[in-house]
Amino acid sequence: MLKKLITFEIVFAISCFLVFSIIICFIFPQPYFSIAGGMDPFSSYDAEADYFANIINTYLNGYSVDFLHPGIPINTLSSFVLRATGLTGSVEQIILVVRSTLLFLNLILIYVGTRLILKKNITTFLILLIFLIGYPAGFLLIDHVSPNSILFGIGVLIISIGLRLAEKMTYTKLILFSFFVGLAISIKYTAFILALPALFSIFFIVKKDNFFSIFKIFFVFLSISTFSFSLFAWQVIPFVPFFLTQLSSTQFLIDTLLGTNNYLLVFISFISIFISILILKQLIKMKYSAVQIYIYSSGFILFLTIFYSLYLFINQPAFSNIGYSSRNLLPFLAFSVVLINISYERLSAFKSLLIFSLFLILFIFKLSFNNNHYQEAVKENHKFSNLINKISLNYDYLVFFPIDRMVSKELFVTWSNYRYGDTQKSFLKNVDTPFKLDNFIQKTKILNSRFFDLPNPKNKKSYLYFNYIKDSPLFSRSQKNIASNQIFLQTPKSLCSSLFDGYRREDSFVIIFPSNLASFYKDNDNSDFDIAMRYVQNLSNDLNKDCKIKSNIKEIFNDKQKYYLLLVD
């Protein structure tokens, strides 16, 4: 009878998760074509443009070209789902299918961690969903194609297995734990933090001073997690060291270490290790159990997460800024699963109803937010589409200044391909591209202004390394293609011959610039932020002087938003 009830609950839960995902992702979706900033004045969180390009590239060529997240399992899984379902008729359909898949898996993983592994009641699951939806990053990004739409669930799963590992060490649990840690890191490198409480508690699992057992456990963990990471992220393994150079914080740390005297660095490392050993020995002498250490260290990480979230809440000017800025903290909210301890005996019907009501209110609020955002974005997209269709009517190409703030279906696809796609094998030129390409999109391009002033890369270590990968027989085809893409991105382009991709001297084109050079859809109605005019004039002069290309400059308005056009007939 009990097994039948458990089976019924699992089937019912899966059905609810499926309905939940369909409602949020298909009936009340966020507009994928609205990339509206939310980070700093000159950047946006355009992860869906990134993942869309790499999912399509995986679908067509079998590999991704981006390695910064790295996010490879998301791209591989999404490509598989698209092939299996055949739901690839449009860009929007592809994105909604992928969103719903990731959200559905996220809910499944949260359920497995709370109900099947930790045996907690269903109210604990609902509380976790309240945390997930109520947290700004979760509210904005649970239905978004990015690591944020699945890492919370993977975090709950890893933390749940880790707690069971702290309760009783078995190699089966250790192997499962290590495997999922490797998977999480292959989605986002910072996910290694999810493993820290379990690794710390290992010193309290084994018998005192049994260093061989500790070494054996760590060896198994490192072996399995490395194997798992390599399995899921094989194509980007040679590029992992370059991830560190792309982040300002890690670049500062690397520069500091390289600039530090070697003897001083060794001394500081020795002192740090020595102090860590002393602290660890004192904790062991205090006879804390592995479970206590696991709970305390999980609580400490959760405290830091909440503390920094409050800092962002105070210092960020808008809800969207808070949400996007706190996105990297979202997986660490999963540590709350070990601190929620609600028994059925202490849970009254009123409390259960209150928790469910709070979840329902958040869910309805999320649907309302999505619906309002979508309706507003559709209007903005319609206005912008009318504008760009009108100005490009008599020209071969419509070229956009490279900005990632937009509310435009056409520009989303063009930007995704230009910024994150394979430079050697554009999906806009591939006859096997799964979605239908609008003829208008084929004539849209991005100005190569980011490449005009690049320095010669031939003496850069990264350029030499990428060339080595490209020419060496030791690396796979996908790794060689990623290296070729990186070489292309480091190579400067000529203003006269490579104004935009596919440029020919005999083509006519119009380049559109928003007056603030920061957004195509807002803040172009204020003359104080009009910085485009000088840039456009300088570009026109350079084209005339260096390339013998004559151009005209025109100023236009679209619903109070001012744009500049550089016209070449």
Side-chain angles (χ1 to χ4, degrees), residues 72 75 89 129 190 215 222 247 263 380 404 415 448 510 516:
I72 307 301
N75 300 328
L129 286 190
T190 52
F215 172 79
L222 289 173
L247 301 176
Y263 294 106
E380 289 291 335
D404 58 2
W415 174 255
N448 280 329
V510 53
N516 63 5

Side-chain angles (χ1 to χ4, degrees), residues 383-384 386-392 398 510-515 520 524-525 530 533 553-567:
K383 288 189 293 186
F384 193 71
N386 288 340
L387 171 70
I388 59 179
N389 274 281
K390 181 180 177 181
I391 64 177
S392 64
L398 170 64
V510 53
I511 308 176
I512 180 170
F513 303 84
S515 65
F520 275 108
N524 294 299
D525 53 355
D530 189 347
M533 185 60 190
I553 299 174
K554 184 179 180 181
E555 182 182 300
I556 63 169
F557 286 85
N558 185 47
D559 194 24
K560 297 182 181 181
Q561 299 293 305
K562 184 163 71 172
Y563 302 90
Y564 292 98
L565 304 179
L566 193 145
L567 311 162

Side-chain angles (χ1 to χ4, degrees), residues 516-533:
N516 63 5
L517 292 183
S519 170
F520 275 108
Y521 82 100
K522 68 175 184 177
D523 299 330
N524 294 299
D525 53 355
N526 190 334
S527 58
D528 294 337
F529 296 104
D530 189 347
I531 60 176
M533 185 60 190

Side-chain angles (χ1 to χ4, degrees), residues 215-471:
F215 172 79
K216 197 162 57 171
I217 292 171
F218 273 97
F219 177 78
V220 172
F221 169 76
L222 289 173
S223 299
I224 299 300
S225 58
T226 302
F227 167 78
S228 174
F229 174 81
S230 302
L231 178 67
F232 291 108
W234 167 256
Q235 57 195 257
V236 300
I237 288 176
F239 309 95
V240 169
F242 289 94
F243 154 73
L244 298 174
T245 66
Q246 303 300 311
L247 301 176
S248 57
S249 55
T250 53
Q251 184 62 53
F252 172 77
L253 180 61
I254 291 170
D255 292 341
T256 302
L257 292 175
L258 291 176
T260 304
N261 182 280
N262 290 337
Y263 294 106
L264 179 62
L265 191 60
V266 171
F267 176 74
I268 293 173
S269 301
F270 176 78
I271 293 297
S272 300
I273 294 170
F274 180 72
I275 293 174
S276 299
I277 292 173
L278 285 179
I279 293 173
L280 190 60
K281 281 193 171 185
Q282 288 301 314
L283 289 173
I284 292 173
K285 284 181 180 179
M286 295 172 73
K287 296 182 179 180
Y288 284 112
S289 69
V291 173
Q292 287 176 311
I293 292 297
Y294 190 91
I295 293 173
Y296 292 157
S297 53
S298 297
F300 179 69
I301 296 174
L302 183 62
F303 168 77
L304 293 179
T305 300
I306 295 171
F307 182 81
Y308 188 64
S309 300
L310 291 174
Y311 168 81
L312 292 174
F313 185 82
I314 294 170
N315 288 278
Q316 293 293 342
F319 179 78
S320 61
N321 296 71
I322 298 170
Y324 293 128
S325 299
S326 63
R327 68 191 185 282
N328 293 323
L329 303 176
L330 185 59
F332 310 134
L333 282 184
F335 282 112
S336 58
V337 72
V338 303
L339 303 177
I340 301 172
N341 189 21
I342 302 174
S343 64
Y344 282 111
E345 291 77 15
R346 292 184 294 169
L347 192 66
S348 65
F350 174 75
K351 289 180 180 178
S352 298
L353 182 62
L354 188 65
I355 291 170
F356 179 75
S357 299
L358 181 57
F359 163 73
L360 202 58
I361 290 169
L362 280 172
F363 178 62
I364 293 171
F365 188 62
K366 168 65 176 172
L367 298 183
S368 176
F369 173 85
N370 281 10
N371 184 61
N372 292 337
H373 188 193
Y374 192 89
Q375 296 303 324
E376 291 173 4
V378 167
K379 293 177 184 177
E380 289 291 335
N381 173 70
H382 180 70
K383 288 189 293 186
F384 193 71
S385 293
N386 288 340
L387 171 70
I388 59 179
N389 274 281
K390 181 180 177 181
I391 64 177
S392 64
L393 192 61
N394 298 317
Y395 292 88
D396 295 318
Y397 292 106
L398 170 64
V399 184
F400 294 93
F401 184 75
I403 299 173
D404 58 2
R405 290 189 175 192
M406 67 194 76
V407 183
S408 169
K409 293 182 179 182
E410 295 89 353
L411 184 51
F412 174 88
V413 178
T414 305
W415 174 255
S416 175
N417 175 68
Y418 172 84
R419 178 67 179 84
Y420 300 107
D422 191 335
T423 56
Q424 312 298 308
K425 299 178 181 179
S426 167
F427 62 74
L428 295 183
K429 300 176 183 177
N430 195 317
V431 295
D432 296 321
T433 297
F435 59 93
K436 185 179 179 181
L437 283 171
D438 187 281
N439 290 332
F440 182 76
I441 292 177
Q442 297 284 18
K443 68 182 291 184
T444 58
K445 301 290 182 179
I446 304 292
L447 182 67
N448 280 329
S449 54
R450 296 185 174 196
F451 294 88
F452 294 153
D453 299 319
L454 288 179
N456 190 325
K458 292 188 176 179
N459 293 323
K460 292 177 67 175
K461 291 180 181 179
S462 58
Y463 186 86
L464 297 173
Y465 179 67
F466 292 143
N467 266 293
Y468 171 73
I469 293 175
K470 182 173 70 74
D471 298 331

Side-chain angles (χ1 to χ4, degrees), residues 49-66:
D50 181 347
Y51 276 91
F52 176 76
N54 282 284
I55 287 168
I56 297 302
N57 202 68
T58 303
Y59 183 97
L60 293 172
N61 305 314
Y63 61 88
S64 306
V65 293
D66 190 19

